[in-house]
Amino acid sequence: MFHHIIVGIDDRAGTPDAIALARDLVSPEGTITLAHVNVVYPIYAKGMNTSLDLELGHAARELLARASAETGITATLLIDSRSVGRGLHELAEIHGADLLVVGSTQHGLVGRVFVGDDTRDAMNGAPCAVAIAPSAYAEGEHVIREIGVAYNETVESEHALGVARRIARVHGAKLSAFEAVSLPMYIYYGFGIAYSDIAEETLASVRSQLGKLEGVEPHAAFGDPVEELTTYSASLDLLVVGSRDFGPLGRLVHSSTSRRLSHSARCPLLILTRATRAQHAHPGSGQDARATAGV
């Protein structure tokens, strides 16, 4: 569970979904903060048009006030930035957040986060995990009963499993792990070997290894990782994945596999980072909250 969650909100459909997911992932003693990024585009320098500055600032404060009144979440933040991604990154770093939550509507916040090289660069190495709420998440029942982990014996997937275990204990949820398996290349060239025999033996071996994980139901399948993980996610209430070198959204935007999964997952997606691993390895090492952009 997470102690200080920042939820990126705007005036589009994904905001209620992100807030609902944040409520599901916050620890009992944790806090949720609503944040809005006032985008200052390169063609417009802040201060060149005072009336526009005032108008944008007023609209942003109205949005935060309305969201706060509707949700009962009183903590709000506002920041000016060249992009939504950069602004959220800065807020997470300044205020010591351990999770950013965003919505997943095509033209909402996440759609904007994934647009533009500046945003991609800004999100690389962000200091916390990121959770993406699927469209219409807030409208249905969203009790966390089963948590899945994308697993392949790497450090990243081991960390993802550890975090998933902690969340599962809090919710009393079932835990499973999935590994997408690639067939060896010689399968495609024949050599008189029965495809079905090798496939079955390989999957059995992978499931056997996954079965050694305590308290984890093993799943494995051949095929495209995104397609198989998407199918797997349909049976889950939360899918947890680890990222490697580029921060919480970096691998999503640099890897077509992860980027596709962020759009195709049928349940909430929690992406963990190297920075998240460091936080868990050294509890309390995060930055103190410094309210430099409060509303």
Side-chain angles (χ1 to χ4, degrees), residues 72-86:
I73 300 172
T74 58
T76 61
L77 296 168
L78 175 63
I79 189 171
D80 293 330
S81 182
R82 288 182 59 188
S83 73
V84 173
R86 184 186 297 272

Side-chain angles (χ1 to χ4, degrees), residues 186-264:
Y186 63 76
I187 288 292
Y188 302 100
Y189 296 99
F191 300 110
I193 303 173
Y195 168 90
S196 59
D197 292 343
I198 293 180
E200 187 55 41
E201 289 175 8
T202 303
L203 285 181
S205 175
V206 172
R207 292 193 188 103
S208 176
Q209 286 299 113
L210 291 174
K212 295 178 182 178
L213 301 172
E214 183 180 355
V216 175
E217 182 177 285
H219 296 272
F222 288 112
D224 176 77
V226 172
E227 292 179 0
E228 299 304 327
L229 282 168
T230 297
T231 300
Y232 170 59
S233 71
S235 64
L236 304 174
D237 300 302
L238 180 68
L239 175 59
V240 184
V241 301
S243 66
R244 291 184 176 179
D245 301 320
F246 304 108
L249 288 187
R251 192 161 183 240
L252 289 179
V253 296
H254 286 282
S255 162
S256 60
T257 297
S258 297
R259 183 169 61 249
R260 287 165 54 205
L261 182 60
S262 73
H263 291 293
S264 66

